[in-house]
Amino acid sequence: MKNTKIKIATLGLAIAASAMLFQSCATATKTQKGTVIGAAAGGTIGAIIGKKAGNTAVGAILGGAIGGTAGAIIGRKMDRQAEEIKNTVPNAEVIREGEGIIVKFDSGILFDVNQYALKTAARTNIENLATSLKNNPETTVLIVGHTDSSGSDEYNKVLSERRAESVKAYALSQGISSGRLATEGRGESEPIADNSTVEGKAQNRRVEIVIVANETMKQDAKTSAQ
C-alpha cells in the first residue's frame, strides 16, 4: 500500500508537470520561473523538486506565490538568500525554485536514531541558518519533519512532529520571532525515495525548512513592480 501511494504521488507530479511545462522552461533562470509560477508553472516546480522534497514543502512554496513581475523580484531576493545559506550551512541541501527556498537536512545530521533532541554539533547548523533568517526578516518559515516507514504510522507522526518542534525551539532561542515559525510533522506519509531499501529510508529521514516571502515582502514587491 505504501509503495502504491508513492507511485500515485509520483504519477500525479508527472501529469502536472506535463500539463504545465513551457517550451522555454529548460533554459529559464530561477528568477524567470518565479515570474510565471503564479500563472501556470506549479507543475514545473513540482516536477523539479518533487523528488527532493515532500508535498507539504512544495505546497508551501506554490501556495504563497504571487507570480508576475512581483514574483520575479521576490525570486531575486530568494536567490541571494539561498546563496548565503549554501555558504554558511554546509551540511544542508539548499533547493531554490520559484519564490521560495527549501533547506533540507538529513535527520542523522540533526538527531540520534529515534531521538528528537538536537545533537550538539547540529546546533551550529541551526545557529547559522538563524543568522540568515535574521539577515532576511521579511520571510516566514515552515519546519517539516519526516521519517522512513520503519515503525507504526502513529509513532512516526509523533517523532516527526517532535523533531520539527526541536528545530523550532532552537531557532527561537537564537532570536527568531515565533510569529515567523510554524511546524508540521508528516511522519512517513511523504517519502521521496523507496522505503524498501536502506538508501531510500535514509533519504526519507529528513527535516525540511521552507522559506517564503511574508506579506510585507509581497507588498513591497508589488509596489516595486508597478
Side-chain angles (χ1 to χ4, degrees), residues 83-103:
E83 286 303 314
E84 178 183 27
I85 296 171
K86 287 178 182 178
N87 292 331
T88 58
V89 191
N91 290 322
E93 179 181 359
V94 181
I95 304 169
R96 169 67 190 94
E97 288 296 339
E99 296 174 30
I101 304 167
I102 299 173
V103 182

Side-chain angles (χ1 to χ4, degrees), residues 104-118:
K104 188 172 70 175
F105 290 99
D106 181 322
S107 289
I109 293 173
L110 301 179
F111 310 100
D112 287 323
V113 176
N114 291 331
Q115 300 297 312
Y116 57 87
L118 282 169

Side-chain angles (χ1 to χ4, degrees), residues 34 37-38 61 64-67 71 74-75 78 96-101 211-213:
I37 181 174
I61 291 177
I66 59 176
I74 291 173
M78 293 297 175
R96 169 67 190 94
E97 288 296 339
E99 296 174 30
I101 304 167
I211 303 170
V212 295

Side-chain angles (χ1 to χ4, degrees), residues 31-32 34-36 67-77 79 96 99:
T31 299
Q32 287 169 335
T35 304
V36 296
T69 304
I73 293 170
I74 291 173
R76 286 192 288 272
K77 292 183 178 181
D79 285 341
R96 169 67 190 94
E99 296 174 30

Side-chain angles (χ1 to χ4, degrees), residues 144-186:
V144 189
H146 301 274
T147 70
D148 63 28
S149 61
S150 302
S152 69
D153 291 353
E154 181 180 359
Y155 176 85
N156 289 333
K157 182 72 160 56
V158 171
L159 179 61
S160 67
E161 290 170 350
R162 288 177 173 173
R163 286 181 165 179
E165 287 292 338
S166 290
V167 174
K168 176 183 176 180
Y170 199 67
L172 289 171
S173 77
Q174 299 303 302
I176 305 302
S177 169
S178 61
R180 296 179 63 189
L181 302 172
T183 62
E184 192 162 345
R186 303 301 296 168

Side-chain angles (χ1 to χ4, degrees), residues 49-62:
I49 66 177
K51 292 184 179 180
K52 291 187 175 183
N55 295 337
T56 300
V58 175
I61 291 177
L62 298 181

